[in-house]
């Protein structure tokens, strides 16, 4: 038996319960992982509350997409991993209800594993891949981010936003962070933002023009969408790109009309399903981790038994960077 987080109805954090469930032997192409740390993502709060883009299968729905731990057993045909290997897990294909990783032990496809060098601890290994590969895929592979580019990053304190700030600095671009209030200004500057703008101050397009010699940002990286999308699009430089990768504001988003304009709806699966992009992304991020230019900021850790508290904390929006749940064995 292994402790696992399940929920039977959609709702607030209190629907989550930690229960013992049987753990299967790994089948062909599968691996059994002893989980040491779990990275939390906004998508999981949306999935739990019924606001994600596909519904949970109830009852007994699992939850979670990324983790880190140690391989305990491998199924037939698995040659890349052996018991004792330290790994990260990034499980985003199929339904979260079936493959969720909030648990003490999980059976996952070997394709969902990444080698975790011994010097990368489990908390870091659980905090890095989803956010950094999203920022890499959107900004580098799709947006062709280059030195000198101004990159406007909304919800910049999110895990993906912090990854984007570091990635812009890593390639010599200029990250302009956007947050709703002044509360996180100093922490965003410490995280590497060249400038911090708050939506509470109003007239974002004018303030972006002031910072970009009147040109606008070559790239805008936005997980908010909603009614503000049309105004946000006016911060994009001519020939630039608005990359929307989330919908934190669930109200309808109008189609921006300041054409010509490139608008991209980005999903991480685009990268994971492309062998070349995935290999380049892993190499790029591993190089940044080694150099120290990419380093996940972990805002707070919780124990698995406190998963309800961890989700409450996530939804209170006071964090900067990642929330990680650790598992005691
Ligand atoms: N497409 C993909 O493949 C992909 C991959 C990763 C993430 N995502 C999406 O990206 C978004 C962020 O995910 P995450 O896990 O990185 O987030 P997170 O760490 O939970 O961060 C959320 C932050 O966003 C800001 N925020 C929250 N609600 C907002 C709203 N209604 N309007 C404006 N800002 C708001 C808050 O910062 P302030 O209070 O400082 O403004 C909050 O601290 C989610 O929508 C997620 O689904 C998509």
């Amino acid at each position: 038996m292994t402790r696992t987080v399940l929920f039977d109805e959609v709702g607030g954090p209190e629907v989550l319960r930690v229960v013992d469930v049987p753990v299967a032997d790994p089948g062909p192409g599968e691996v059994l992982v002893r989980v040491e740390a779990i990275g939390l993502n906004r998508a999981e709060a949306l999935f739990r509350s019924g606001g994600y883009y596909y519904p949970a299968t109830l009852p007994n729905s699992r939850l979670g997409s990324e983790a880190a731990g140690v391989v305990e057993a491998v199924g037939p045909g698995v040659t890349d991993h052996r018991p004792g290997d330290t790994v990260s897990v990034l499980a985003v294909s199929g339904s979260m209800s079936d493959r969720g990783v909030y648990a003490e032990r999980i059976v996952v496809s070997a394709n969902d594993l990444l080698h975790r060098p011994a010097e990368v601890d489990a908390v870091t290994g659980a905090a890095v891949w989803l956010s950094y590969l999203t920022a890499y895929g959107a900004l580098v592979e799709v947006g062709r981010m280059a030195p000198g580019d101004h990159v406007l990053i909304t919800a910049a304190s999110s895990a993906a936003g912090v990854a984007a700030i570091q990635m812009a600095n890593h390639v010599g671009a200029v990250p302009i962070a956007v947050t709703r209030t002044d509360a996180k200004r100093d922490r965003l500057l410490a995280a590497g933002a060249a400038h911090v703008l708050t939506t509470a101050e109003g007239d974002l397009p004018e303030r972006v023009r002031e910072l970009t010699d009147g040109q606008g940002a070559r790239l805008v990286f936005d997980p908010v969408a909603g009614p503000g999308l049309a105004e946000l699009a006016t911060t994009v430089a001519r020939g630039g790109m608005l990359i929307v990768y989330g919908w934190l504001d669930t109200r309808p988003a109008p189609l921006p009309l300041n054409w010509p304009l490139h608008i991209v709806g980005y999903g991480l699966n685009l990268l994971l399903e492309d062998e070349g992009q995935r290999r380049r992304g892993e190499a790029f991020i591993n190089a940044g981790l080694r150099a120290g230019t990419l380093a996940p900021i972990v805002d707070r850790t919780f124990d698995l038994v406190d998963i309800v508290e961890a989700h409450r904390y996530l939804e209170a929006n006071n964090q900067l960077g990642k929330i990680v749940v650790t598992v005691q064995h």
Side-chain angles (χ1 to χ4, degrees):
M1 301 292 265
T2 197
R3 284 180 304 161
T4 302
V5 175
L6 299 178
F7 61 105
D8 296 334
E9 56 180 325
V10 294
E14 66 283 354
V15 300
L16 301 178
R17 56 195 177 94
V18 184
V19 289
D20 279 326
V21 302
V23 60
D25 290 331
E30 291 181 336
V31 175
L32 173 66
V33 177
R34 186 179 77 240
V35 174
E36 294 176 346
I38 298 160
L40 300 199
N41 293 286
R42 177 72 41 166
E44 291 133 36
L46 296 170
F47 191 67
R48 185 214 70 225
S49 61
Y52 204 47
Y53 73 93
Y54 67 91
T57 308
L58 302 169
N60 294 324
S61 174
R62 302 176 66 111
L63 194 58
S65 301
E66 63 180 333
V70 178
V71 172
E72 278 198 334
V74 301
V78 175
T79 52
D80 282 358
H81 301 279
R82 289 185 307 187
D85 281 359
T86 51
V87 290
S88 290
V89 180
L90 182 57
V92 295
S93 55
S95 171
M96 219 187 303
S97 289
D98 304 322
R99 48 86 177 153
V101 303
Y102 286 12
E104 228 171 24
R105 283 186 172 72
I106 50 176
V107 174
V108 292
S109 163
N111 293 332
D112 294 340
L113 296 188
L114 298 105
H115 287 284
R116 177 167 60 92
E119 66 272 16
V120 176
D121 62 76
V123 169
T124 304
V128 64
W129 291 107
L130 197 145
S131 312
Y132 284 72
L133 279 177
T134 300
Y136 169 84
L139 294 173
V140 179
E141 291 283 346
V142 176
R144 300 284 161 207
M145 179 168 66
D149 283 349
H150 287 97
V151 183
L152 191 73
I153 300 162
T154 59
S157 65
S158 67
V162 169
I165 290 171
Q166 293 181 359
M167 214 159 272
N169 283 323
H170 185 70
V171 305
V174 182
I176 304 173
V178 181
T179 175
R180 286 178 294 182
T181 68
D182 227 20
K184 298 178 187 169
R185 178 183 295 277
D186 290 346
R187 283 189 285 163
L188 284 166
L189 290 169
H195 309 278
V196 177
L197 301 175
T198 69
T199 49
E201 287 167 299
D203 205 355
L204 193 67
E206 178 55 26
R207 284 176 297 129
V208 173
R209 279 191 291 277
E210 282 165 15
L211 293 174
T212 58
D213 284 335
Q215 302 298 302
R218 205 192 65 76
L219 294 170
V220 175
F221 185 55
D222 176 52
V224 180
L229 198 70
E231 185 189 63
L232 188 66
T234 67
T235 68
V236 182
R238 202 173 163 78
M241 191 182 286
L242 170 59
I243 303 174
V244 184
Y245 70 101
W247 54 94
L248 286 166
D249 185 337
T250 52
R251 294 173 294 171
L255 180 66
L257 291 173
N258 55 316
W259 300 344
L261 173 71
H262 302 284
I263 307 176
V264 172
Y266 185 78
L268 177 58
N269 278 322
L270 204 62
L271 175 142
L272 296 176
E273 289 162 8
D274 179 316
E275 189 50 42
Q277 283 195 39
R278 182 178 165 138
R279 197 179 53 247
R280 290 193 293 275
E282 284 180 37
F284 186 100
I285 292 163
N286 278 322
L289 289 172
R290 277 195 302 275
T293 48
L294 304 181
I297 295 177
V298 176
D299 179 275
R300 191 164 159 190
T301 61
F302 290 83
D303 191 279
L304 183 64
V305 297
D306 297 321
I307 190 65
V308 171
E309 271 316 299
H311 264 234
R312 284 204 178 107
Y313 186 75
L314 175 80
E315 293 188 328
N317 288 327
N318 294 320
Q319 74 274 31
L320 184 134
K322 202 82 173 176
I323 300 160
V324 174
V325 164
T326 55
V327 184
Q328 314 303 327
H329 288 272

